[in-house]
């Protein structure tokens, strides 16, 4: 019996990497393949060193040569090797070989798995820190359907050897978690960082699939990545599935709209449509290479100090149903959003916002934690090829229309604002609908929660029906209908 001394505190006892690998190795039924490309065979190394690997590892391989890799897994349409499609081909190929070579009549109790990664570590010039795709396809019972966990990582370390070691630790954590923590996916995410620090590695996309994860919403898993500080931003496509931000933004023109969208209103969509029309007419904007994203900061997802996950799902559902891409971030300030986009593109960017948001941008109190203050923030915000598209509003007290010409910023910021306005960084949206400018999300939400009539006309066409049919945002007056959420895409011409 373990000895306990007065004053001992409870804590999570994290198994060592050797213990994790050894537990799997000692299970005579777990049997699989390791296929690692680009960073050595660091994961397999942990299992070999733990002992007892002969009963677990069917094969460990690394097809470093591109021609040899193509001969095994096929040629990608884009001729790239560090991609999700490449990883999936690796997992499928290795699992097919496993099923063919190990017959069930001789090995009825074997639980198969295939672990794979395709990774590019830091380059010699240290300009690109490296990234990769990591995944596992596996069973939890002999003969059962397969499950998958696939994630994308970005290295933060600046040494190739350290990145290789980090990948080996992550892979061991993933395999162990897949078998022994699959019933707690949220905790499984945190366990991926066992014996790792968030300064070493970023996980910016993860997807679960298969029978043991049938009730998992991958968007909520992505939210956990942001919530736990594993990444700064995650993204969902119009179909509601997780997408890799780098894939969406790479060398693209980007138009972003930030808001709470609780719920999305006609004003939000009007701001989007009008700013989009102006943005694609800019000289440096290619309409075929333009991405629109609705961004929600994590601070806007908090309720009473905690993230309201159902509220998050409601917002994402409505925006995706309107044909939009949604990004959830940890960024409080606008300049950090622009800085994030700049990691993937040098093309022109646009921010669409209302008057009150622009006034807040010129408030010094939001930048006191930055060594360079507001000047540093503005240098990062407006130094890039960026324009702000400003949607006007009526002054609630005087009824006066407020736009970039007459808005009032804090006195000390007047000259700074004039500088950016004079240089064409702030542009008014002149084509607006006065009849909807008194619509605010918070008022619509209050009416929905209180059961007051009339909120339907404050929202885009079809959105009210979705809220009623799926009882979003606390709407409970009608019975839930067994409908499938229909999505539509707004014409962007």
């Amino acid at each position: 019996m373990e000895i306990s001394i007065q004053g001992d505190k409870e804590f999570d006892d994290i198994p060592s990497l050797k213990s994790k690998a050894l537990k799997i190795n000692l299970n005579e039924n777990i049997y699989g393949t390791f296929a690692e490309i680009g960073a050595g065979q660091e994961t397999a190394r942990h299992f070999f060193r733990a002992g007892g690997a002969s009963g677990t590892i069917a094969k460990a391989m690394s097809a470093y040569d591109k021609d040899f890799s193509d001969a095994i897994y096929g040629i990608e349409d884009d001729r790239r090797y560090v991609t999700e499609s490449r990883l999936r081909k690796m997992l499928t190929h290795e699992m097919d070989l496993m099923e063919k070579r190990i017959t069930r009549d001789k090995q009825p109790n074997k639980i198969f798995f295939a672990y794979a990664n395709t990774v590019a570590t830091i380059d010699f010039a240290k300009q690109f820190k490296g990234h990769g795709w990591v995944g596992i396809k596996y069973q939890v019972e002999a003969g059962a359907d397969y499950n998958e966990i696939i994630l994308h990582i970005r290295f933060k370390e600046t040494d190739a050897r350290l990145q290789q070691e980090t990948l080996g630790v992550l892979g061991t954590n993933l395999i162990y978690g897949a078998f022994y923590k699959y019933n707690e996916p949220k905790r499984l995410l945190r366990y991926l960082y066992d014996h790792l620090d968030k300064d070493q590695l970023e996980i910016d996309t993860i997807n679960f699939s298969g029978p043991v994860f049938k009730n998992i919403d991958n968007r909520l898993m992505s939210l956990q990545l942001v919530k736990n500080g594993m990444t700064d931003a995650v993204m969902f496509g119009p179909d509601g599935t997780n997408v890799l931000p780098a894939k969406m933004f790479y060398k693209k023109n980007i138009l972003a709209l930030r808001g709470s969208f609780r719920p999305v209103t006609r004003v939000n969509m009007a701001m989007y449509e009008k700013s989009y029309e102006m943005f694609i007419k800019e000289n440096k904007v290619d309409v075929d290479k333009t991405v629109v994203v609705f961004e929600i900061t994590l601070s806007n997802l908090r309720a009473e100090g905690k993230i309201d996950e159902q509220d998050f799902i409601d917002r994402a559902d409505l925006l995706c149903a309107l044909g939009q891409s949604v990004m959830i971030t940890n960024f409080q300030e606008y300049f950090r959003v622009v800085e994030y986009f700049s990691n993937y593109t040098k093309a022109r960017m646009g921010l669409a916002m209302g008057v009150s948001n622009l006034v807040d941008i010129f408030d010094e109190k939001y930048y006191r934690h930055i060594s360079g203050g507001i000047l540093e923030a503005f240098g990062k915000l407006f130094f890039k090829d960026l324009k702000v598209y400003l949607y006007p509003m009526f002054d609630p007290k005087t009824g006066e229309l407020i736009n970039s010409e007459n808005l009032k910023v804090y006195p000390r910021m007047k000259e700074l604002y004039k500088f950016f306005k004079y240089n064409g960084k702030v542009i008014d949206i002149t084509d607006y609908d006065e009849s909807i400018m008194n619509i605010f999300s918070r008022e619509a939400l209050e009416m929905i929660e209180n059961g007051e009539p009339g909120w339907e006309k404050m929202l885009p066409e079809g959105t009210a029906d979705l809220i009623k049919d799926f009882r979003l945002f606390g709407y409970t007056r009608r019975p839930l209908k067994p409908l499938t959420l229909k999505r539509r895409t707004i014409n962007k011409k």
Side-chain angles (χ1 to χ4, degrees):
M1 181 179 294
E2 184 178 358
I3 295 174
S4 177
I5 299 176
Q6 185 176 0
D8 284 346
K9 300 294 189 297
E10 293 292 331
F11 64 94
D12 288 335
D13 188 11
I14 300 174
S16 67
L17 293 172
K18 182 177 181 180
S19 296
K20 289 185 175 184
L22 187 59
K23 183 171 183 177
I24 290 174
N25 283 349
L26 294 180
N27 187 315
E28 67 275 10
N29 293 323
I30 298 177
Y31 193 66
T33 295
F34 291 74
E36 305 183 70
I37 296 179
Q41 292 188 293
E42 295 300 311
T43 304
R45 179 169 62 89
H46 284 286
F47 286 83
F48 280 124
R49 288 185 174 181
S54 60
T56 297
I57 300 179
K59 179 183 68 175
M61 66 169 295
S62 186
Y64 264 69
D65 182 76
K66 293 181 179 179
D67 292 334
F68 201 82
S69 180
D70 287 342
I72 298 173
Y73 302 117
I75 301 174
E76 300 297 318
D77 294 336
D78 56 8
R79 306 294 299 185
R80 296 168 63 197
Y81 293 87
V82 186
T83 63
E84 181 181 7
S85 61
R86 190 60 164 192
L87 178 73
R88 290 186 180 278
K89 285 183 179 179
M90 293 170 68
L91 292 173
T92 299
H93 177 83
E94 298 301 336
M95 190 54 69
D96 287 345
L97 288 180
M98 183 78 66
E99 292 281 6
K100 291 177 181 177
R101 293 173 178 175
I102 306 297
T103 58
R104 287 293 181 184
D105 56 340
K106 291 185 178 180
Q107 301 288 350
N109 298 322
K110 288 294 184 184
I111 300 172
F112 293 152
F113 76 91
Y115 166 82
N117 64 57
T118 173
V119 174
T121 53
I122 192 168
D123 65 328
F124 183 78
K126 297 187 184 298
Q127 291 183 334
F128 305 99
K129 289 188 177 181
H131 72 109
W133 288 92
V134 182
I136 182 172
K137 186 171 185 175
Y138 71 107
Q139 301 170 311
V140 294
E141 295 179 359
D145 290 336
Y146 288 99
N147 308 285
E148 284 187 351
I149 305 175
I150 292 178
L151 52 99
H152 182 265
I153 62 173
R154 293 191 174 278
F155 294 111
K156 295 184 178 181
E157 294 165 311
T158 56
D159 181 85
R161 180 181 60 83
L162 294 177
Q163 291 182 355
Q164 290 174 341
E165 292 176 357
T166 295
L167 180 62
V169 175
L170 175 73
T172 305
N173 289 338
L174 175 61
I175 296 171
Y176 180 82
F179 283 109
Y180 294 107
K181 302 295 181 182
Y182 66 83
N183 61 324
E184 299 177 289
K186 291 182 181 179
R187 298 186 69 179
L188 190 156
L189 285 180
R190 297 198 298 272
Y191 295 146
L192 292 177
Y193 278 86
D194 285 357
H195 311 290
L196 290 174
D197 191 275
K198 291 169 186 174
D199 291 334
Q200 296 175 264
L201 187 75
E202 174 186 352
I203 302 174
D204 57 5
T205 300
I206 191 163
N207 282 296
F208 297 83
S209 61
V212 301
F213 302 121
K214 62 182 180 180
N215 296 321
I216 296 300
D217 189 324
N218 282 311
R219 295 172 301 175
L220 282 179
M221 293 299 103
S222 290
L223 177 60
Q224 299 303 313
L225 295 179
V226 181
K227 176 183 176 181
N228 296 335
M230 299 176 183
T231 188
D232 287 324
V234 293
M235 194 169 178
F236 319 111
D239 60 355
T241 60
N242 290 340
V243 294
L244 184 65
K247 184 177 180 180
M248 292 288 291
F249 297 141
Y250 186 65
K251 293 186 177 181
K252 299 289 182 63
N253 299 113
I254 303 171
L255 176 64
L257 295 85
R258 166 176 283 192
S260 63
F261 308 115
R262 193 172 183 254
V264 58
T265 66
R266 292 175 62 189
V267 175
N268 297 139
M269 297 311 297
M271 187 184 302
Y272 147 64
E273 292 172 350
K274 301 307 177 184
S275 62
Y276 180 82
E277 291 174 3
M278 297 172 67
F279 185 63
I280 60 175
K281 292 178 182 178
E282 298 283 349
N283 292 331
K284 297 182 180 180
V285 175
D286 183 348
V287 65
D288 294 325
K289 295 182 178 180
T290 297
V291 174
V292 178
V293 60
F294 283 64
E295 185 244 353
I296 307 174
T297 65
L298 193 64
S299 60
N300 285 336
L301 294 177
R302 297 189 183 278
E304 298 180 357
K306 295 183 180 180
I307 292 179
D308 185 340
E309 295 183 348
Q310 185 56 52
D311 181 64
F312 156 75
I313 287 294
D314 292 350
R315 302 188 211 190
D317 276 342
L318 290 188
L319 288 169
C320 291
L322 291 169
Q324 304 305 324
S325 297
V326 182
M327 187 169 74
I328 309 299
T329 74
N330 259 330
F331 307 126
Q332 290 281 355
E333 305 88 356
Y334 272 101
F335 80 87
R336 298 196 186 278
V337 179
V338 175
E339 206 172 24
Y340 179 79
F341 291 153
S342 299
N343 293 327
Y344 307 112
T345 183
K346 295 181 180 179
R348 172 157 291 176
M349 303 175 218
L351 295 176
M353 66 181 70
V355 171
S356 58
N357 287 338
L358 184 60
V359 172
D360 285 341
I361 286 180
F362 284 85
D363 189 342
E364 287 184 286
K365 70 181 182 182
Y366 295 113
Y367 310 102
R368 289 171 183 165
H369 61 289
I370 304 173
S371 58
I374 193 171
L375 291 180
E376 178 183 341
F378 276 34
K380 294 178 178 179
L381 178 63
F382 289 108
F383 173 75
K384 307 296 180 183
D385 192 4
L386 176 133
K387 290 187 177 181
V388 172
Y389 298 91
L390 187 67
Y391 200 80
M393 65 174 289
F394 286 116
D395 189 311
K397 295 181 179 179
T398 65
E400 177 187 14
L401 182 71
I402 304 175
N403 56 25
S404 68
E405 299 294 339
N406 61 351
L407 68 81
K408 296 179 181 180
V409 298
Y410 295 88
R412 294 174 57 186
M413 296 292 106
K414 282 184 179 180
E415 297 305 318
L416 186 61
Y417 171 75
K418 289 180 181 179
F419 171 80
F420 291 116
K421 169 64 178 173
Y422 178 79
N423 284 280
K425 295 293 186 179
V426 181
I427 303 174
D428 283 310
I429 297 176
T430 56
D431 184 11
Y432 53 86
D433 183 354
E434 293 187 5
S435 66
I436 66 172
M437 290 176 64
N438 62 343
I439 295 176
F440 298 96
S441 293
R442 60 180 179 273
E443 294 181 2
L445 181 63
E446 289 178 4
M447 294 174 70
I448 294 172
E449 291 177 338
N450 296 330
E452 299 178 22
W455 57 269
E456 293 91 344
K457 63 183 180 182
M458 303 169 72
L459 276 53
E461 180 183 355
T463 305
D465 291 335
L466 292 176
I467 291 176
K468 293 177 180 179
D469 291 336
F470 296 92
R471 296 192 289 196
L472 309 180
F473 300 102
Y475 186 89
T476 58
R477 293 172 62 202
R478 287 173 51 180
L480 184 63
K481 293 182 179 180
L483 300 177
T484 300
L485 186 61
K486 296 181 180 179
R487 305 183 185 279
R488 65 184 179 88
T489 302
I490 293 177
N491 188 354
K492 299 181 180 180
K493 293 182 179 180

